[in-house]
Amino acid sequence: MTINPTTRDYNKASVLDVVLAQAPLTRNKVIELTGLSKATVSRAVEELRADGFVVDRGVDAVAGRGRPSTYLDIPGTTGYVVGVSFGAQTTGVLATDLRGREIQHVIVPTATHDDVGKAAAWLAGLIAGVSQPAEGPLRQVVVAVPARVRGGAEIFGPAESMKYIEGSRLQRALADLLGAQVLLDSDANASLLGVLADDGTIRDAALFSLSSILNFACCTDHELARGSTPSFGDVGVLCSGVYDKTLDGLMSTGGLLAFAREQGLDLERIDDLWVETHHDGVRAAVVEAFTTAMVTAVSAVVVTLDPESIYFVGRLRTLVEEVLPEVRTRLEERLPAVPRLTVVTQVLGLSTARGAVYSCLTLAHARLREALLDARRQAPRVEQPAPAF
């Protein structure tokens, strides 16, 4: 017989949500955040403790009279998640508990692969390495890649050096190797999720990732926007306004490096554009083209999405910082209102992995809540076992 969840079950799920999001915290704080009564919270906490999802962790010292409150926390045995930034040059892997507290991370040069199976095995090895100190089951893995991703599994338009990951084979191979839930996402989405995790006041925003490819992400009302087709977010195909160059041809590392060489700059890598001395006139022409492309890209986003803020991340952020004052000036001349433009400082490999972890936690928390409620639906009326978390 199927039994619908009761008010008591939903109250318990609400307490679990708060503890997962804010632990360690006291019962009084749980009461404040949930709006539930002291008796209801106490009963829910004891049930969650019996399920293995809550433990006591220290005591809140109080001044004067009064009984000190015990801090509630999530035990390590509840499980962990792993976020991965699988970049063209650098790969970062971060494991955290279900509260988002770091267990371990690693940042390494991306190994050269030409086969999805070998790449998946390499990533699985890195994930196993950072997971060694973890307890409990692996709840979720999210891998951010320099590409567009549909449905958490299918990759479109990856960086040139990573063409072999196109399609859905990487997701399937990793899921098989790890025996866990695995989703893929774009590096731009993961970067924006990291920004959103750091600032809960952000409502409508956009982000440009300027690295091996030009990638784009946006959010509405603090939620990522995801299109129904692979074309969504592919701003790199738009005309830059400079000759016949696309935005990707001037706002990605490979594209801008090729353009600079066309202009006569003998650069070995794109970083040389701002760390070495060049012929002023030629460098100025390259920087001018990049500035024009920036103005074009931001204008297109402003008039279509109307974001409050636009963020820039990636290997070209040093050049973005150089031209941003001029970009603002030109935008103010052509647009009635210009959003806040910000260059985000990131730790290469790690910051994007942190955004992937944020996605992991959202998915894992929702799954745990649903498992708690499903335990009631599937249980006999007389004897209800602990949720099969």
Side-chain angles (χ1 to χ4, degrees), residues 152-372:
E154 195 170 4
I155 296 172
F156 297 88
E160 189 64 33
S161 62
M162 301 178 74
K163 289 295 186 184
Y164 63 91
I165 68 172
E166 196 153 22
S168 56
R169 291 176 296 163
L170 179 64
Q171 189 272 339
R172 293 198 302 267
L174 265 178
D176 289 343
L177 287 168
L178 297 172
Q181 297 280 344
V182 176
L183 286 178
L184 308 181
D185 208 345
S186 73
D187 57 0
N189 277 347
S191 292
L192 183 53
L193 280 171
V195 173
L196 295 176
D198 290 337
D199 188 348
T201 66
I202 297 171
R203 309 314 301 170
D204 305 319
L207 179 143
F208 288 99
S209 177
L210 293 75
S211 286
S212 52
I213 65 169
L214 172 63
N215 223 345
F216 175 78
C218 61
C219 68
T220 301
D221 198 24
H222 206 72
E223 293 289 334
L224 281 185
R226 300 180 184 274
S228 58
T229 72
S231 298
F232 181 79
D234 191 11
V235 297
V237 302
L238 300 178
C239 179
S240 67
V242 179
Y243 307 128
D244 59 348
K245 301 295 182 181
T246 62
L247 290 178
D248 190 65
L250 290 175
M251 295 177 67
S252 67
T253 54
L256 188 61
L257 181 60
F259 180 78
R261 289 170 176 170
E262 290 172 7
Q263 303 307 303
L265 287 181
D266 185 19
L267 304 179
E268 182 177 349
R269 53 189 195 135
I270 194 59
D271 306 65
D272 296 337
L273 187 62
W274 51 84
V275 299
E276 293 184 0
T277 303
H278 307 285
H279 188 278
D280 290 345
V282 180
R283 183 184 188 280
V286 174
V287 173
E288 169 60 26
F290 180 76
T291 303
T292 299
M294 284 269 296
V295 172
T296 300
V298 172
S299 297
V301 169
V302 170
V303 300
T304 55
L305 299 177
D306 193 26
E308 299 168 340
S309 302
I310 298 180
Y311 300 94
F312 302 91
V313 299
R315 288 181 58 205
L316 292 181
R317 66 178 181 273
T318 301
L319 191 57
V320 174
E321 289 175 333
E322 178 181 336
V323 306
L324 206 53
E326 177 62 20
V327 170
R328 287 193 185 97
T329 298
R330 297 187 190 184
L331 290 171
E332 288 168 356
E333 292 173 351
R334 66 169 63 183
L335 298 174
V338 178
R340 183 167 62 100
L341 307 178
T342 304
V343 179
V344 179
T345 300
Q346 293 189 312
V347 178
L348 187 62
L350 185 57
S351 294
T352 302
R354 288 193 186 281
V357 160
Y358 180 75
S359 180
C360 284
L361 293 172
T362 300
L363 293 166
H365 290 181
R367 196 176 296 123
L368 290 174
R369 176 188 176 89
E370 189 59 28
L372 186 152

